[in-house]
Amino acid sequence: MDYKSVIAKNLSVISNLPEEQIMKLIEIPPQKGMGDYAFPCFALAKSMRKAPQMIASDLALEASLTENGVFEVKNVGPYLNFFIDRSSYAKDIIASINEMGFCYGSSDIGNGQNTIVEFSSPNIAKPFHVGHAFTTVLGNSLSRIYDKLGYNVIRMNHLGDYGTQFGKLITAYRLWGDEAALNEDPIKELLRIYVKFHDEAKNDESLEVSARENFKKLEDGCEEEVLLWQKFRDESLVVFNKLYSRIGVEFDNYNGESFYSDKIPAVVDMLREKNLLEESEGAQVVRLDDEKLPPCIILKSDGTTIYASRDLAAVLYRLNEYNFNKNIYVVGIPQELHFKQVFGVLRKAGYKCADDCVHVGFGLVKFKNMKFSTREGNIVLLEDLLDEAVKKTREVIEENAKQRGQDMSEKEINEIAEKVGIGSVIYTYVKSGREKDIVFSWEDMLNFNGNSAPYLMYTYARTRSIIRKAEEAGLKPTSDKDVIATLTSDDEYEVISNLASFEGAVKKAAEIYEPFVISRNIFETASSFNSFYNNCRILGEGVDKTTSEARLALCEAVCNTLKSGLNLLGIETVERM
């Protein structure tokens, strides 16, 4: 049962306020003693011509009569407070979660609509560093969230695979390239010759001339230059895909900047036909005074295109190809003005899809007292960060296994360390609001007792262990709703309340493009479960069979919710740690 919707529906009947508006107004009280839901009556004061306190008092009785005993309704000042019957709540929530299993949180509200999520988008021939990981982790999580809600998600990796730097790379490769080195470590070799080009160009102007000529040949489709460019692109993608596979990221489309280059003339013609292009200091621009934005440059004074030109071409291609419901760009906050201009040009050109294009910005990546070697000077490569996280996690797991006398093979330890180590890195990107700067700290990342991936994964593993231990004793989670209805203690109710809010968290995360809503929810669920675990026996002496099986059902619901939530963040679970 969606309790919030039930409240909204009944309040709509007795107040004549639209159900959608009531849904937005219903709150979760700051203290448990104030109920499970609260409705502020201020919004009704104008239409009902009464003080909010009087409205709350009048509605309390009517609301009580419509809820069939599921709720107790009290008025406290200008608020209507709703208290859910704990037995009804327990059997409804726990039974529902366990029937859905890992699918808990799923919905069909997306109705198969096409939703594009553009994320990661590294530059070809450049190292994949921890900054690239921010967009990659966020975009992967948002893609999974929209999938969960029934949207048809198209994951796009808008590669930086075009521009004058490729003319430089072609020149550099012909002069100093090592094919064997390129095949062995493509990014390292391409970066080496790119840096060498810039060093040598300081004293040799002919290199820049050669680079421009090579890029012109590339644009003109000359076979030799295109083949070299394709090799650089393909070899770089081999490296990137290996990293993507390691962190569980997939893409449906790798159309980069190069893909849209031949589509830009049509965009320019369209803007010219609509009399939107103006000359400004030799450049062709679209003025956006109505949107209080600076002009958007479409063509530079030398006739070449810029990012805005390519992004406009990309939007129109995607609209024609996918007829998208949303076109989401997971790109850093510094690009906010750029996207406002691109969307503004679309609006001015009469494209309604401009309102379906969304820029999802994020902060910077910082480090706190973290020392480890990196292969690229002051650039921290994601691969290096993952390797170090896995290494440190393995040390913790080995020590814990030794202390507990656990018999774990080296293979099992390595597999667990890989998942937990990578999970600890991923979780750091999604544990706080995306616009906040990320601060990496080994102490925080690998804390098995705090807001971290290891803590959540350990809670899941321990809960699975409880269920396995129960099965050995001939006990299993019950599906009997009357038995589940006995889960009414404060500790049990706290866990159930957090479990019940997961579905809403998934929808909210999609609504505001914020995976943090999910990470916060499952952390609160894990914390409340661990409090329950410490205060209430599940198995053993002093616990009857009925109570054990009811609490095992609660354990199973916690496992289903944590696994679903961690998956939405891009984190795998482990069965023991």
Side-chain angles (χ1 to χ4, degrees):
M1 181 188 296
D2 185 340
Y3 291 88
K4 187 176 178 180
S5 295
V6 171
I7 293 171
K9 188 173 185 178
N10 285 308
L11 283 180
S12 178
V13 172
I14 60 180
S15 68
N16 293 319
L17 204 63
E19 189 175 332
E20 296 77 14
Q21 186 176 347
I22 293 175
M23 283 287 285
K24 293 178 181 179
L25 292 172
I26 292 175
E27 304 171 358
I28 303 295
Q31 299 175 16
K32 286 296 180 184
M34 299 172 68
D36 299 288
Y37 295 98
F39 175 73
C41 294
F42 304 102
L44 300 174
K46 185 176 181 180
S47 61
M48 298 185 75
R49 298 183 179 182
K50 291 181 182 179
Q53 292 90 334
M54 293 181 63
I55 295 172
S57 178
D58 292 343
L59 290 181
L61 180 59
E62 292 184 70
S64 296
L65 293 174
T66 62
E67 301 305 335
N68 299 319
V70 176
F71 294 99
E72 180 184 359
V73 186
K74 297 180 181 179
N75 64 291
V76 180
Y79 287 86
L80 277 178
N81 289 4
F82 294 82
F83 297 77
I84 302 174
D85 175 73
R86 291 190 176 187
S87 292
S88 301
Y89 196 48
K91 66 182 180 182
D92 179 37
I93 299 300
I94 300 302
S96 176
I97 293 173
N98 291 340
E99 284 172 8
M100 295 188 72
F102 174 66
C103 294
Y104 179 49
S106 298
S107 167
D108 60 359
I109 61 173
N111 197 30
Q113 297 176 92
N114 288 336
T115 296
I116 295 171
V117 183
E118 178 191 304
F119 62 104
S120 197
S121 309
N123 290 320
I124 290 297
K126 299 278 182 73
F128 198 107
H129 57 72
V130 294
H132 295 129
F134 209 154
T135 166
T136 306
V137 169
L138 279 175
N140 182 47
S141 180
L142 288 173
S143 298
R144 292 175 180 225
I145 291 166
Y146 278 96
D147 264 338
K148 194 87 168 178
L149 295 176
Y151 292 88
N152 179 41
V153 179
I154 300 101
R155 295 160 168 83
M156 285 199 163
N157 195 337
H158 187 82
L159 296 170
D161 63 356
Y162 213 58
T164 56
Q165 69 267 30
F166 287 95
K168 297 176 181 179
L169 276 173
I170 291 170
T171 293
Y173 186 72
R174 285 170 171 163
L175 290 172
W176 311 295
D178 183 329
E179 186 171 2
L182 180 67
N183 293 332
E184 182 179 347
D185 194 337
I187 301 298
K188 183 178 181 180
E189 174 63 5
L190 291 172
L191 183 63
R192 179 188 73 80
I193 63 174
Y194 189 72
V195 170
K196 185 173 179 62
F197 175 93
H198 284 277
D199 289 341
E200 296 293 333
K202 293 174 184 176
N203 302 313
D204 186 351
E205 295 181 359
S206 68
L207 290 175
E208 292 286 358
V209 175
S210 172
R212 285 194 293 272
E213 290 175 348
N214 284 327
F215 181 59
K216 180 66 166 60
K217 290 178 181 178
L218 178 62
E219 285 190 305
D220 291 342
C222 293
E223 184 178 3
E224 190 174 338
E225 283 70 25
V226 169
L227 286 174
L228 276 176
W229 169 82
Q230 190 68 53
K231 184 176 181 63
F232 299 157
R233 189 182 191 274
D234 291 346
E235 293 292 346
S236 295
L237 276 176
V238 169
V239 177
F240 293 157
N241 283 331
K242 182 179 178 182
L243 190 55
Y244 290 140
S245 177
R246 189 178 184 190
I247 59 176
V249 173
E250 296 179 348
F251 292 96
D252 302 299
N253 189 300
Y254 285 89
N255 289 343
E257 293 178 49
S258 62
F259 179 82
Y260 302 104
S261 61
D262 64 352
K263 298 168 178 57
I264 294 175
V267 174
V268 175
D269 290 344
M270 176 270 292
L271 294 174
R272 188 170 282 125
E273 289 170 6
K274 295 189 176 187
N275 297 316
L276 296 179
L277 281 183
E278 297 182 25
E279 185 174 323
S280 175
E281 299 180 6
Q284 294 293 308
V285 306
V286 174
R287 296 197 175 278
L288 298 170
D289 298 343
D290 292 347
E291 305 219 11
K292 297 181 181 180
L293 295 171
C296 180
I297 299 174
I298 304 300
L299 296 173
K300 293 189 287 188
S301 58
D302 62 0
T304 57
T305 61
I306 64 169
Y307 289 119
S309 319
R310 292 188 280 274
D311 278 335
L312 286 166
V315 173
L316 297 183
Y317 169 81
R318 293 171 185 180
L319 179 64
N320 182 63
E321 187 73 12
Y322 299 104
N323 189 29
F324 57 78
N325 167 62
K326 279 188 183 297
N327 181 29
I328 301 168
Y329 297 83
V330 185
V331 183
I333 290 174
Q335 296 301 313
E336 182 177 10
L337 175 59
H338 164 78
F339 285 107
K340 283 183 177 179
Q341 289 177 304
V342 170
F343 304 158
V345 171
L346 288 170
R347 265 190 292 272
K348 197 162 186 178
Y351 286 95
K352 294 180 180 180
C353 68
D355 295 329
D356 300 320
C357 293
V358 182
H359 170 225
V360 174
F362 54 86
L364 302 174
V365 179
K366 301 177 181 179
F367 293 87
K368 177 183 177 182
N369 301 324
M370 289 179 66
K371 295 181 180 180
F372 53 92
S373 63
T374 177
R375 288 167 281 162
E376 308 298 341
N378 62 352
I379 297 176
V380 180
L381 303 185
L382 177 60
E383 185 177 3
D384 289 343
L385 180 62
L386 294 176
D387 287 344
E388 192 70 14
V390 172
K391 175 186 172 184
K392 289 182 176 294
T393 302
R394 184 185 297 109
E395 292 170 357
V396 174
I397 292 172
E398 287 175 339
E399 180 61 27
N400 288 344
K402 183 179 179 181
Q403 290 181 359
R404 296 171 188 157
Q406 286 180 304
D407 182 20
M408 299 176 73
S409 67
E410 184 176 352
K411 179 182 178 182
E412 184 180 12
I413 290 174
N414 288 339
E415 289 175 350
I416 293 172
E418 177 77 3
K419 290 182 179 180
V420 177
I422 290 175
S424 69
V425 173
I426 291 174
Y427 191 77
T428 305
Y429 286 104
V430 294
K431 67 182 287 186
S432 303
R434 57 180 164 77
E435 293 190 352
K436 294 182 180 179
D437 292 345
I438 297 298
V439 180
F440 278 99
S441 159
W442 292 128
E443 182 181 356
D444 294 336
M445 286 170 59
L446 302 178
N447 184 357
F448 279 65
N449 296 304
N451 188 5
S452 67
Y455 174 75
L456 295 172
M457 297 171 81
Y458 177 70
T459 301
Y460 173 86
R462 181 165 71 173
T463 310
R464 292 297 307 160
S465 176
I466 293 169
I467 295 174
R468 287 195 300 271
K469 185 177 179 180
E471 289 174 348
E472 293 172 2
L475 298 170
K476 62 180 181 179
T478 185
S479 58
D480 187 325
K481 292 186 178 182
D482 290 334
V483 175
I484 294 173
T486 62
L487 297 170
T488 58
S489 71
D490 288 346
D491 288 309
E492 292 162 343
Y493 184 67
E494 184 69 21
V495 180
I496 295 169
S497 295
N498 285 315
L499 293 171
S501 63
F502 179 71
E503 285 185 312
V506 177
K507 293 174 183 176
K508 186 69 175 178
E511 181 184 330
I512 63 174
Y513 315 103
E514 187 57 274
F516 160 65
V517 178
I518 292 173
S519 65
R520 178 179 58 191
N521 175 269
I522 59 175
F523 171 66
E524 290 173 350
T525 295
S527 298
S528 62
F529 176 78
N530 284 319
S531 294
F532 156 76
Y533 177 79
N534 290 328
N535 296 333
C536 305
R537 293 184 67 86
I538 300 172
L539 304 171
E541 294 182 10
V543 187
D544 61 75
K545 183 174 183 289
T546 299
T547 301
S548 284
E549 293 191 337
R551 289 177 175 174
L552 285 169
L554 179 61
C555 290
E556 185 175 34
V558 168
C559 285
N560 286 327
T561 304
L562 290 181
K563 185 169 186 175
S564 180
L566 286 167
N567 177 266
L568 290 177
L569 301 178
I571 299 172
E572 291 187 70
T573 53
V574 295
E575 292 301 306
R576 69 169 182 159
M577 287 173 63

